[in-house]
């Protein structure tokens, strides 16, 4: 059945379409943190994130990365290939920030010669715990071969993204990706790429991402609009 709500997430609702292999993602004007404990409506965020993510995914597709992105269909909506999400948050860090800086008692900003990858198990009721390769194998979330593929693909994506952000004077500090399996069983990049799930610093060290909301640093949509404008100049 077409146009049925399949899933309602924190930042997006997912609907069925007339094609069983295609879903429609509808971005929402909502910001959450601490696993939804703090929740606010932020007018204009949906349009900005849909545009930013569409732009980035188009560039990733063009660069040969396999993703779920098909096309943007309205201000707040895009069509995506239907996937079964692999319940992992794949975090890649180019510099120390956020939970990493806190956990190891480091100042934010230290550069890693080799970017550091982390996995979190996507399970709200457990608060998305940190897990390693052996936990992933034990829980049968993915095979060793699939994890190797996800790691290599995440590093490739990082190199592309770092270059694009550098070109518009933004530093890509860290980000979170999610992968899924399409109808043929192939692993492809899914979810979104927006300032909701990455950290971007400008040349003056200003936060150009969701830390503006997390740390009450100002107007979130003003900052996201600058990120979009910069990316549109690429
Ligand atoms: N992140 C995310 N969703 C989460 C947790 C983290 O998109 O549920 C992103 C976050 O925006 C940042 C990166 O993953 O770009 C690393 O986040 P971190 O572990 O430092 O956690 P935080 O400090 O955001 O709680």
């Amino acid at each position: 059945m077409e146009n049925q709500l399949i899933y309602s997430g924190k930042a997006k609702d997912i609907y069925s379409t007339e094609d069983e292999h295609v879903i429609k993602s509808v971005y929402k004007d909502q910001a959450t943190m601490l696993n939804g404990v703090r929740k606010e409506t932020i007018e204009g965020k949906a349009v900005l994130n849909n545009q930013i993510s569409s732009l980035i995914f188009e560039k990733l597709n063009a660069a040969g990365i396999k993703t779920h992105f098909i096309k943007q269909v309205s201000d707040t909506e895009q069509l995506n290939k239907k996937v079964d999400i692999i319940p992992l948050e794949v975090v890649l860090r180019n510099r120390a920030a956020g939970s990493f800086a806190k956990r190891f008692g480091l100042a934010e900003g230290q550069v890693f010669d080799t970017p550091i990858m982390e996995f979190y198990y996507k399970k709200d009721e457990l608060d998305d715990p940190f897990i390693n390769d052996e936990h992933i194998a034990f829980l049968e979330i993915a095979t060793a071969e699939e994890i190797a593929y996800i790691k290599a693909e995440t590093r490739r994506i990082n190199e592309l993204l770092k270059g694009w952000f550098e070109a518009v004077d933004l530093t890509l500090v860290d980000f979170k990706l999610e992968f899924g399996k399409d109808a043929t069983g192939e692993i492809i990049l899914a979810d979104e790429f927006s300032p909701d799930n990455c950290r971007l610093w400008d040349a003056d060290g200003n936060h150009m991402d969701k830390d503006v909301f997390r740390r009450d640093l100002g107007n979130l949509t003003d900052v996201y609009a600058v990120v979009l404008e910069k990316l549109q100049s690429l």
Side-chain angles (χ1 to χ4, degrees), residues 13 20 57 87 99 102 104 124 152 160 172 174 200 202 207 225:
D13 286 334
E20 62 169 322
F57 269 75
S99 73
K102 197 169 166 197
F104 297 110
D124 276 347
L160 290 165
L172 179 60
D174 58 27
L200 298 167
D202 75 6
H207 296 274

Side-chain angles (χ1 to χ4, degrees), residues 89 91 93 97-100 118 120 128 174-176 196-199 211 214:
E89 300 204 332
V91 169
R93 303 178 184 275
S99 73
F100 188 99
E118 295 174 350
Y120 295 84
D128 299 347
D174 58 27
F175 59 86
K176 185 263 296 181
D196 269 11
N197 37 54
C198 70
R199 285 194 169 91
D211 278 345
R214 294 187 191 102

